[in-house]
Amino acid sequence: MLRIDIITLFPEMLAGFLDQSMMKRAQTLEAVAFRFINPRDVTTDVHHTTDDRPFGGGPGMVMKPEPLFAAVESVKTPESRVIYLSPQGRAFNQRAAERLTREPHLIFLCGHYEGVDERVIEALVDEEISIGDYVLTNGVLAAGVIIDATVRLLPGVLGGAGAAEQDSFSSGLLDHPHYTRPETFRGRSVPPVLLSGNHAAIAAWRKEQALERTRARRPDLL
Ligand code: 9WO
């Protein structure tokens, strides 16, 4: 069982997502257990302050260290891995998702506003991850992306045996095209090899399609 704790000021941004489809199934199977910690709930001042103006000036607000230290320390154990989501992090990919499936406890620390006090990252964060070169409103959706890519790889979560191995990227290539009924739709027909019943020929066609697409669209992967 992989335990995942999410530290965020806006848990509702992910709660609905985690309660649907594959993420719900993974919880029912007890492959994963999610918890939210809201730093606002561990503040001790009357106004429940979580942010303050940046030293040195500039626009916007920075998340204060005290509520984030309290939130992380309320769930962290020696076997936890604390992950901060930001564009400054190491690029996330399928291999990183596979690595995270082997951890017992992940803590996703989501930044809001203009970011978190740097001492939080220095003292508490094991790993900083980016899901791509763009800026979001906060780290919550990035945490959702990493959780989705990781949890679906846990044993038993995807349907049939070998389903995850069929994924695009587990082969290092882009996916081949897929077709279902009807055989002809608005003048476009399914490639005849897929109707042939010749499984060796079908496998060869899919491999060739995957290779050709990767060459055309993502030669950096080859
Ligand atoms: C907002 C902002 C506003 C005015 C001036 C400077 C500013 N910087 C930022 C900013 O970078 N905010 C971040 C929002 C703070 C950390 C959490 N946020 C975030 C994470 N945005 N995008 C991500 C993210 C995470 C992982 N992969 C890609 C993007």
Side-chain angles (χ1 to χ4, degrees):
M1 153 92 77
L2 171 57
R3 292 182 301 125
I4 298 182
D5 290 328
I6 304 145
I7 299 175
T8 170
L9 294 174
F10 300 113
E12 293 309 318
M13 284 186 67
L14 274 193
F17 164 67
L18 297 180
D19 219 39
Q20 311 264 330
S21 178
M22 197 82 86
M23 298 302 107
K24 186 188 189 110
R25 179 180 152 81
Q27 290 179 84
T28 305
L29 291 167
E30 298 187 16
V32 69
F34 299 113
R35 292 186 301 187
F36 287 106
I37 302 96
N38 190 331
R40 187 167 296 279
D41 296 340
V42 297
T43 53
T44 51
D45 63 306
V46 284
H47 295 110
H48 300 285
T49 311
T50 58
D51 62 331
D52 203 343
R53 296 179 328 211
F55 277 126
M61 300 292 268
V62 174
M63 292 183 81
K64 291 169 64 61
E66 301 92 328
L68 293 178
F69 270 72
V72 171
E73 287 170 351
S74 74
V75 292
K76 189 177 158 92
T77 71
E79 60 177 18
S80 307
R81 190 148 185 90
V82 180
I83 297 171
Y84 181 64
L85 299 315
S86 92
Q88 286 75 47
R90 290 255 299 271
F92 185 68
N93 58 23
Q94 192 68 23
R95 192 195 314 196
E98 285 161 11
R99 176 172 56 79
L100 293 181
T101 64
R102 295 190 283 275
E103 297 287 340
H105 183 207
L106 300 174
I107 301 173
F108 288 95
L109 180 58
C110 301
H112 297 266
Y113 314 118
E114 277 59 65
V116 312
D117 187 289
E118 189 66 20
R119 292 164 291 190
V120 173
I121 298 170
E122 286 172 10
L124 298 177
V125 170
D126 296 306
E127 182 174 359
E128 197 166 337
I129 301 183
S130 167
I131 61 162
D133 293 337
Y134 35 76
V135 177
L136 303 169
T137 305
N138 58 56
V140 180
L141 289 180
V145 165
I146 293 170
I147 289 167
D148 187 282
T150 302
V151 168
R152 64 189 289 287
L153 297 177
L154 293 172
V157 173
L158 272 184
E165 286 68 37
Q166 299 275 325
D167 276 352
S168 175
F169 288 122
S170 62
S171 66
L173 298 177
L174 299 185
D175 207 358
H176 57 75
H178 301 265
Y179 295 89
T180 185
R181 291 186 291 183
E183 279 185 34
T184 300
F185 180 71
R186 298 198 178 180
R188 297 165 192 268
S189 292
V190 173
V193 64
L194 298 178
L195 313 175
S196 69
N198 181 339
H199 297 294
I202 291 168
W205 179 85
R206 286 176 169 165
K207 183 76 197 287
E208 173 199 303
Q209 291 285 315
L211 256 173
E212 184 40 44
R213 279 181 158 189
T214 309
R215 233 190 324 265
R217 301 181 192 183
R218 293 294 307 278
D220 58 296
L221 294 177
L222 292 173

mmCIF file of all heavy atoms in Angstrom, residues 174-191:
data_model
loop_
_atom_site.group_PDB
_atom_site.id
_atom_site.type_symbol
_atom_site.label_atom_id
_atom_site.label_comp_id
_atom_site.label_asym_id
_atom_site.label_seq_id
_atom_site.Cartn_x
_atom_site.Cartn_y
_atom_site.Cartn_z
ATOM 1 N N LEU A 174 6.279 6.278 -28.843
ATOM 2 C CA LEU A 174 4.898 6.753 -28.819
ATOM 3 C C LEU A 174 3.966 5.597 -29.162
ATOM 4 O O LEU A 174 4.383 4.586 -29.724
ATOM 5 C CB LEU A 174 4.712 7.895 -29.827
ATOM 6 C CG LEU A 174 5.557 9.148 -29.606
ATOM 7 C CD1 LEU A 174 5.168 10.226 -30.623
ATOM 8 C CD2 LEU A 174 5.409 9.677 -28.183
ATOM 9 N N ASP A 175 2.692 5.761 -28.822
ATOM 10 C CA ASP A 175 1.683 4.730 -29.037
ATOM 11 C C ASP A 175 1.352 4.579 -30.531
ATOM 12 O O ASP A 175 1.491 5.529 -31.295
ATOM 13 C CB ASP A 175 0.412 5.112 -28.266
ATOM 14 C CG ASP A 175 -0.415 3.908 -27.873
ATOM 15 O OD1 ASP A 175 -0.039 2.765 -28.231
ATOM 16 O OD2 ASP A 175 -1.435 4.123 -27.200
ATOM 17 N N HIS A 176 0.907 3.394 -30.907
ATOM 18 C CA HIS A 176 0.386 3.157 -32.265
ATOM 19 C C HIS A 176 -1.073 3.613 -32.326
ATOM 20 O O HIS A 176 -1.694 3.801 -31.286
ATOM 21 C CB HIS A 176 0.508 1.664 -32.606
ATOM 22 C CG HIS A 176 -0.195 0.765 -31.626
ATOM 23 N ND1 HIS A 176 -1.565 0.621 -31.594
ATOM 24 C CD2 HIS A 176 0.280 0.013 -30.590
ATOM 25 C CE1 HIS A 176 -1.895 -0.205 -30.618
ATOM 26 N NE2 HIS A 176 -0.799 -0.583 -29.984
ATOM 27 N N PRO A 177 -1.658 3.753 -33.561
ATOM 28 C CA PRO A 177 -3.077 4.142 -33.675
ATOM 29 C C PRO A 177 -4.011 3.025 -33.204
ATOM 30 O O PRO A 177 -3.645 1.838 -33.242
ATOM 31 C CB PRO A 177 -3.268 4.385 -35.176
ATOM 32 C CG PRO A 177 -1.910 4.440 -35.774
ATOM 33 C CD PRO A 177 -1.008 3.656 -34.878
ATOM 34 N N HIS A 178 -5.204 3.422 -32.761
ATOM 35 C CA HIS A 178 -6.234 2.473 -32.308
ATOM 36 C C HIS A 178 -7.505 2.665 -33.124
ATOM 37 O O HIS A 178 -7.813 3.787 -33.536
ATOM 38 C CB HIS A 178 -6.559 2.719 -30.828
ATOM 39 C CG HIS A 178 -5.378 2.569 -29.926
ATOM 40 N ND1 HIS A 178 -5.085 1.406 -29.271
ATOM 41 C CD2 HIS A 178 -4.398 3.441 -29.617
ATOM 42 C CE1 HIS A 178 -3.967 1.566 -28.566
ATOM 43 N NE2 HIS A 178 -3.521 2.804 -28.774
ATOM 44 N N TYR A 179 -8.246 1.575 -33.339
ATOM 45 C CA TYR A 179 -9.524 1.623 -34.074
ATOM 46 C C TYR A 179 -10.528 0.711 -33.387
ATOM 47 O O TYR A 179 -10.156 -0.302 -32.794
ATOM 48 C CB TYR A 179 -9.345 1.130 -35.516
ATOM 49 C CG TYR A 179 -8.441 2.012 -36.359
ATOM 50 C CD1 TYR A 179 -7.066 1.783 -36.394
ATOM 51 C CD2 TYR A 179 -8.966 3.058 -37.111
ATOM 52 C CE1 TYR A 179 -6.234 2.583 -37.158
ATOM 53 C CE2 TYR A 179 -8.139 3.869 -37.882
ATOM 54 C CZ TYR A 179 -6.770 3.625 -37.904
ATOM 55 O OH TYR A 179 -5.954 4.417 -38.650
ATOM 56 N N THR A 180 -11.839 1.094 -33.509
ATOM 57 C CA THR A 180 -12.913 0.206 -33.085
ATOM 58 C C THR A 180 -14.019 0.276 -34.135
ATOM 59 O O THR A 180 -13.854 0.915 -35.164
ATOM 60 C CB THR A 180 -13.419 0.577 -31.677
ATOM 61 O OG1 THR A 180 -14.386 -0.387 -31.267
ATOM 62 C CG2 THR A 180 -14.034 1.981 -31.645
ATOM 63 N N ARG A 181 -15.139 -0.395 -33.914
ATOM 64 C CA ARG A 181 -16.229 -0.399 -34.887
ATOM 65 C C ARG A 181 -16.815 1.004 -35.066
ATOM 66 O O ARG A 181 -16.757 1.801 -34.104
ATOM 67 C CB ARG A 181 -17.310 -1.395 -34.446
ATOM 68 C CG ARG A 181 -16.811 -2.832 -34.566
ATOM 69 C CD ARG A 181 -17.916 -3.820 -34.275
ATOM 70 N NE ARG A 181 -18.293 -3.778 -32.844
ATOM 71 C CZ ARG A 181 -19.193 -4.583 -32.287
ATOM 72 N NH1 ARG A 181 -19.804 -5.505 -33.011
ATOM 73 N NH2 ARG A 181 -19.481 -4.481 -31.014
ATOM 74 N N PRO A 182 -17.373 1.364 -36.221
ATOM 75 C CA PRO A 182 -17.540 0.533 -37.427
ATOM 76 C C PRO A 182 -16.273 0.450 -38.289
ATOM 77 O O PRO A 182 -15.403 1.297 -38.160
ATOM 78 C CB PRO A 182 -18.645 1.267 -38.193
ATOM 79 C CG PRO A 182 -18.492 2.694 -37.788
ATOM 80 C CD PRO A 182 -18.024 2.674 -36.362
ATOM 81 N N GLU A 183 -16.238 -0.568 -39.146
ATOM 82 C CA GLU A 183 -15.072 -0.778 -40.023
ATOM 83 C C GLU A 183 -14.837 0.388 -40.964
ATOM 84 O O GLU A 183 -13.706 0.694 -41.293
ATOM 85 C CB GLU A 183 -15.254 -2.057 -40.855
ATOM 86 C CG GLU A 183 -14.905 -3.313 -40.112
ATOM 87 C CD GLU A 183 -14.992 -4.547 -41.005
ATOM 88 O OE1 GLU A 183 -14.679 -4.448 -42.211
ATOM 89 O OE2 GLU A 183 -15.380 -5.601 -40.469
ATOM 90 N N THR A 184 -15.941 1.021 -41.437
ATOM 91 C CA THR A 184 -15.814 2.235 -42.261
ATOM 92 C C THR A 184 -16.672 3.316 -41.629
ATOM 93 O O THR A 184 -17.845 3.084 -41.304
ATOM 94 C CB THR A 184 -16.257 1.965 -43.711
ATOM 95 O OG1 THR A 184 -15.418 0.929 -44.258
ATOM 96 C CG2 THR A 184 -16.098 3.223 -44.569
ATOM 97 N N PHE A 185 -16.102 4.496 -41.426
ATOM 98 C CA PHE A 185 -16.815 5.621 -40.820
ATOM 99 C C PHE A 185 -16.528 6.875 -41.628
ATOM 100 O O PHE A 185 -15.364 7.266 -41.762
ATOM 101 C CB PHE A 185 -16.382 5.797 -39.362
ATOM 102 C CG PHE A 185 -17.067 6.943 -38.678
ATOM 103 C CD1 PHE A 185 -18.415 6.863 -38.353
ATOM 104 C CD2 PHE A 185 -16.376 8.106 -38.377
ATOM 105 C CE1 PHE A 185 -19.063 7.918 -37.739
ATOM 106 C CE2 PHE A 185 -17.007 9.170 -37.757
ATOM 107 C CZ PHE A 185 -18.360 9.079 -37.439
ATOM 108 N N ARG A 186 -17.605 7.449 -42.210
ATOM 109 C CA ARG A 186 -17.495 8.655 -43.039
ATOM 110 C C ARG A 186 -16.378 8.527 -44.079
ATOM 111 O O ARG A 186 -15.545 9.420 -44.238
ATOM 112 C CB ARG A 186 -17.306 9.883 -42.179
ATOM 113 C CG ARG A 186 -18.502 10.098 -41.254
ATOM 114 C CD ARG A 186 -18.577 11.482 -40.696
ATOM 115 N NE ARG A 186 -19.767 11.617 -39.859
ATOM 116 C CZ ARG A 186 -20.107 12.732 -39.212
ATOM 117 N NH1 ARG A 186 -19.352 13.794 -39.321
ATOM 118 N NH2 ARG A 186 -21.194 12.765 -38.480
ATOM 119 N N GLY A 187 -16.355 7.369 -44.725
ATOM 120 C CA GLY A 187 -15.421 7.139 -45.819
ATOM 121 C C GLY A 187 -14.027 6.716 -45.401
ATOM 122 O O GLY A 187 -13.180 6.480 -46.258
ATOM 123 N N ARG A 188 -13.782 6.619 -44.092
ATOM 124 C CA ARG A 188 -12.451 6.234 -43.616
ATOM 125 C C ARG A 188 -12.505 4.800 -43.088
ATOM 126 O O ARG A 188 -13.282 4.505 -42.194
ATOM 127 C CB ARG A 188 -11.981 7.163 -42.491
ATOM 128 C CG ARG A 188 -11.816 8.599 -42.907
ATOM 129 C CD ARG A 188 -11.709 9.491 -41.677
ATOM 130 N NE ARG A 188 -11.831 10.881 -42.051
ATOM 131 C CZ ARG A 188 -10.806 11.681 -42.356
ATOM 132 N NH1 ARG A 188 -9.573 11.219 -42.289
ATOM 133 N NH2 ARG A 188 -11.014 12.923 -42.703
ATOM 134 N N SER A 189 -11.626 3.938 -43.672
ATOM 135 C CA SER A 189 -11.645 2.518 -43.303
ATOM 136 C C SER A 189 -10.500 2.170 -42.366
ATOM 137 O O SER A 189 -9.438 2.805 -42.392
ATOM 138 C CB SER A 189 -11.574 1.651 -44.556
ATOM 139 O OG SER A 189 -12.777 1.809 -45.294
ATOM 140 N N VAL A 190 -10.734 1.160 -41.553
ATOM 141 C CA VAL A 190 -9.721 0.634 -40.641
ATOM 142 C C VAL A 190 -8.641 -0.072 -41.465
ATOM 143 O O VAL A 190 -8.974 -0.756 -42.438
ATOM 144 C CB VAL A 190 -10.389 -0.352 -39.658
ATOM 145 C CG1 VAL A 190 -9.369 -1.067 -38.781
ATOM 146 C CG2 VAL A 190 -11.425 0.377 -38.802
ATOM 147 N N PRO A 191 -7.363 0.078 -41.135
ATOM 148 C CA PRO A 191 -6.309 -0.654 -41.858
ATOM 149 C C PRO A 191 -6.624 -2.156 -41.895
ATOM 150 O O PRO A 191 -6.862 -2.756 -40.838
ATOM 151 C CB PRO A 191 -5.055 -0.366 -41.025
ATOM 152 C CG PRO A 191 -5.331 0.957 -40.383
ATOM 153 C CD PRO A 191 -6.814 0.954 -40.090
#
